[in-house]
Amino acid sequence: MQAIDVLCIGDLDVDMFISVPAIPGFDQKIAGENHGQMPGGMSANCAVAVARLGLASRLVAAVGSDASGSFAVEKIRADGVDVDHLIHREDTNTFMCVVLISPSGEKSLIKLETEAYLPYANELTDDAFAGVRHVHLTFGRPELAHKALTMARVKGITTSLDLEPPDIARNPKLLRSILPLIDTLFLNAEAYAMAASALGETLLPAHLHEHGEILVTLGALGCRRLSGEDRLDQPGFAVEALDTTGAGDCFAGAYLAARLEGLEPQDAMILANGAAALATTGIGAQTAMPLRRDVDAFVARHTDRRPDKDIRPATGDLHA
């Protein structure tokens, strides 16, 4: 049985990237530069990030029967992601996003959802969880997230979830019920505020599983970790950003990889900030996702606190 460090459950898509000087309004035209199509999807991006950092990842996602789906699958397979548990939907186009990139590298997304957007809860199998140390997923289909988190908890597998504002809006009531199933919650500042609004109270680590942690990504400013009563801020790294698509997914994958290797939270935050910064230096969610040696070299050049790349125990948890 193959040992899998991180099982990612969620979306696999094909992104079309277009650079624009500004976002056009209704009934307006604007000239843009087409950078072509590349594989993406929050869960697929995280799986690629984990694989490029030297750990084993598996993806459970839905994919259409079109050429775009085959293209995306082959690309992430080439990165070493286990794709044997993908769900193939016949006579269906693969989920796609149109990504508009600003001159500063910030992105706006248009999601073209299809029947191959996400798996359904009843499509999860025990086989997909075999040999897995950690399960990471999104909240794009709340019923899927609840089922996957429950299965992981029953099997004694640690969990994480990447929470985005549009997904909170899909089912805010279910959010409270799944938080106790989560060990590590990733979200940006907007999602953090929106989650608090949905809960009717400040989102705290106490809402999560015992010893849970919240990682709030702050873009170029870095990240913040909330654990127990403690708060830890870690500054980001300055780079010439071309495209921020997938940077948050890379952050999550790098943080999980570092913690599974045995790094302390602050060192994991430094490594994740470095990986996410490097991921913004190319067009495409996965294009510039770095290898571990590149992250180590980048961090060493920009800080006097360098994560110990030699910490690679055979087993470990995300929490002390």
Side-chain angles (χ1 to χ4, degrees), residues 36-313:
Q37 297 185 7
M38 305 172 202
M42 291 175 62
S43 296
N45 294 340
C46 184
V48 169
V50 169
R52 290 193 185 174
L53 291 169
L55 275 70
S57 64
R58 172 180 293 157
L59 178 66
V60 172
V63 63
S65 56
D66 54 351
S68 293
S70 299
F71 161 76
V73 171
E74 289 310 309
K75 282 288 188 180
I76 64 170
R77 191 201 306 272
D79 270 306
V81 177
D82 178 357
V83 295
D84 291 345
H85 296 268
L86 293 178
I87 297 156
H88 296 267
R89 303 214 194 283
E90 296 299 322
D91 302 319
T92 301
N93 288 330
T94 298
F95 167 45
M96 184 176 182
C97 285
V98 178
V99 185
L100 303 180
I101 308 170
S102 75
S104 65
E106 296 298 323
K107 86 280 187 184
S108 296
L109 276 75
I110 303 171
K111 297 170 65 175
L112 307 178
E113 296 181 10
T114 71
E115 267 301 303
Y117 172 44
L118 288 168
Y120 290 100
N122 62 6
E123 293 177 308
L124 292 178
T125 66
D126 288 329
D127 287 346
F129 289 76
V132 169
R133 295 174 63 193
H134 182 84
V135 172
H136 176 75
L137 60 155
T138 66
F139 198 55
R141 181 161 281 154
E143 297 79 8
L144 171 68
H146 190 275
K147 176 69 176 296
L149 289 167
T150 300
M151 290 177 69
R153 292 256 72 100
V154 169
K155 297 174 185 297
I157 302 171
T158 56
T159 63
S160 58
L161 183 135
D162 196 333
L163 190 59
E164 289 203 317
D167 297 332
I168 297 172
R170 287 175 187 261
N171 196 331
K173 293 182 179 179
L174 190 58
L175 178 62
R176 183 180 291 275
S177 69
I178 73 162
L179 289 176
L181 302 172
I182 300 168
D183 292 302
T184 301
L185 180 65
F186 296 99
L187 70 178
N188 62 21
E190 180 187 358
Y192 183 79
M194 192 168 180
S197 177
L199 294 171
E201 59 187 357
T202 302
L203 174 62
L204 298 171
H207 287 104
L208 308 184
H209 194 253
E210 186 179 8
H211 306 305
E213 60 181 353
I214 299 173
L215 274 295
V216 183
T217 55
L218 305 171
L221 296 178
C223 62
R224 172 174 298 158
R225 179 179 185 262
L226 305 175
S227 178
E229 300 294 324
D230 299 330
R231 187 181 99 173
L232 175 63
D233 289 340
Q234 186 60 46
F237 296 96
V239 295
E240 185 97 13
L242 296 179
D243 176 20
T244 59
T245 308
D249 308 324
C250 185
F251 176 93
Y255 184 83
L256 294 175
R259 295 290 277 138
L260 287 167
E261 288 177 352
L263 270 67
E264 293 298 320
Q266 186 172 15
D267 284 331
M269 292 165 72
I270 293 170
L271 186 141
N273 278 344
L278 287 172
T280 69
T281 59
I283 302 292
Q286 300 169 14
T287 304
M289 283 190 178
L291 301 174
R292 179 60 185 267
R293 63 175 180 268
D294 298 323
V295 180
D296 287 337
F298 176 81
V299 169
R301 289 196 305 271
H302 291 85
T303 181
D304 58 1
R305 181 173 182 139
R306 179 173 180 266
D308 185 352
K309 67 178 180 179
D310 295 323
I311 300 179
R312 292 178 182 269

